[in-house]
């Protein structure tokens, strides 16, 4: 089963290295280039995605995700907009709607060798906004960098670490102090303390109370910075 959205490309090792280097340089120059960040994640992340795949296979909920291969696209998550205010699904809908985001905007997976790995890479990409919602993180540079710390703790993707380094290099002095004194220590704790986030079938929990889910999954929302 192919992951929808585009054909995959098989690369030789030197080609993978070239794509990784080019993507890294391009992403540093323009962090808004989601396609470059995606290519960097794929070309440097195969071992990490393989470990995630094995963890998912050992989890009953993870196996269900792998079997059914849900996609976080409008056609499959639109019902979240109709759920009660206190639910995880409604919180996700508010997060997306308040920013005019579409779940259909994620770039396709192109550089994974197998269908299973391609799906895991796509799943990691598509649940990103679920994690924003659960951890109550903004989508500014600090919020994205903090979430990348959590993603690194969860998946050990080199791209996440590189994104934190690249993102923090673009901080102002004030932002850098705020990030490393407040958000970074919290994200390190939060990423380790919570459950294995890649083994969750989020869509089947849309109807559940957001705060109860956070407690069940060991998720610590981002605390407000102290004055």
């Amino acid at each position: 089963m192919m992951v929808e959205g585009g054909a995959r490309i098989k690369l030789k090792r030197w080609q993978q290295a070239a794509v990784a280097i080019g993507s890294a340089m391009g992403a540093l120059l323009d962090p808004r280039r989601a396609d470059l960040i995606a290519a960097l994640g794929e070309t440097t992340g195969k071992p990490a995605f393989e470990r995630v795949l094995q963890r998912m296979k050992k989890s009953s909920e993870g196996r269900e995700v792998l079997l059914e291969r849900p996609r976080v696209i409008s056609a499959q998550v639109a019902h979240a907009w109709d759920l009660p205010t206190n639910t995880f699904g409604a919180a996700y809908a508010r997060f997306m709607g308040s920013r005019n985001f579409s779940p259909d905007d994620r770039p396709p997976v192109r550089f994974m060798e197998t269908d299973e790995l391609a799906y895991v890479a796509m799943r990691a990409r598509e649940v990103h906004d679920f994690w924003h919602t659960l951890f109550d993180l903004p989508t500014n540079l600090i919020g994205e960098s903090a979430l990348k710390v959590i993603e690194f703790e969860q998946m050990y993707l080199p791209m996440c670490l590189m994104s934190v380094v690249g993102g923090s290099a673009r901080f102002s002095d004030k932002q850098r102090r705020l990030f490393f004194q407040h958000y970074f220590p919290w994200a390190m704790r939060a990423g380790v303390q919570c459950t294995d986030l890649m083994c969750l079938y989020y869509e089947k929990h849309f109807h559940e109370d957001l705060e109860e889910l956070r407690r069940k999954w060991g998720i610590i929302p981002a605390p407000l910075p102290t004055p």
Side-chain angles (χ1 to χ4, degrees):
M1 176 180 173
M2 290 284 290
V3 176
E4 297 174 8
R8 294 205 309 274
I9 303 168
K10 189 171 183 178
L11 299 178
K12 297 178 180 178
R13 287 187 180 276
W14 70 267
Q15 291 173 317
Q16 286 185 335
V19 171
I21 293 169
S23 299
M25 293 177 64
L28 282 173
L29 292 172
D30 186 358
R32 295 167 298 181
R33 287 287 303 274
D35 57 330
L36 295 179
I37 294 171
L40 178 63
E42 292 172 38
T43 51
T44 61
K46 181 185 173 185
F49 286 128
E50 287 175 336
R51 289 191 294 269
V52 171
L53 175 61
Q54 292 309 309
R55 296 204 315 263
M56 292 177 75
K57 287 181 175 180
K58 293 177 182 177
S59 158
S60 58
E61 198 163 334
R63 287 194 300 272
E64 190 176 4
V65 171
L66 291 173
L67 178 65
E68 298 185 9
R69 295 194 179 185
R71 295 293 311 280
V72 186
I73 54 178
S74 295
Q76 295 190 23
V77 300
H79 64 286
W81 273 252
D82 300 321
L83 292 171
T85 306
N86 65 306
T87 62
F88 168 45
Y92 166 70
R94 286 194 299 273
F95 171 85
M96 298 294 282
S98 65
R99 293 163 174 81
N100 201 28
F101 286 174
S102 168
D104 303 324
D105 289 342
R106 299 287 176 191
V109 172
R110 293 180 293 163
F111 303 117
M112 288 287 109
E113 294 176 2
T114 69
D115 284 351
E116 273 192 322
L117 284 178
Y119 178 73
V120 171
M122 192 76 244
R123 183 68 174 171
R125 194 170 298 166
E126 290 184 343
V127 299
H128 178 85
D129 290 323
F130 292 159
W131 296 12
H132 264 292
T133 303
L134 288 164
F135 287 100
D136 198 19
L137 277 168
T139 53
N140 56 24
L141 188 57
I142 287 180
E144 293 291 355
S145 297
L147 191 54
K148 282 290 180 282
V149 174
I150 293 173
E151 289 178 347
F152 181 76
E153 292 281 0
Q154 285 281 313
M155 295 183 283
Y156 294 106
L157 280 170
M159 176 272 295
C160 296
L161 186 59
M162 287 185 273
S163 294
V164 173
V165 173
S168 60
R170 303 174 73 89
F171 289 159
S172 66
D173 289 342
K174 182 179 180 180
Q175 287 175 320
R176 190 171 293 109
R177 284 194 301 272
L178 177 63
F179 179 74
F180 284 107
Q181 292 177 8
H182 178 77
Y183 284 99
F184 184 79
W186 162 79
M188 290 289 289
R189 292 193 305 272
V192 171
Q193 179 172 316
C194 64
T195 191
D196 191 337
L197 298 175
M198 284 298 294
C199 292
L200 297 176
Y201 202 145
Y202 295 95
E203 298 87 337
K204 292 196 173 182
H205 297 281
F206 271 4
H207 66 285
E208 296 181 44
D209 182 82
L210 175 62
E211 294 305 325
E212 289 183 6
L213 277 182
R214 283 171 170 161
R215 285 191 291 271
K216 181 166 72 173
W217 292 339
I219 288 173
I220 313 167
L224 293 173
T226 53

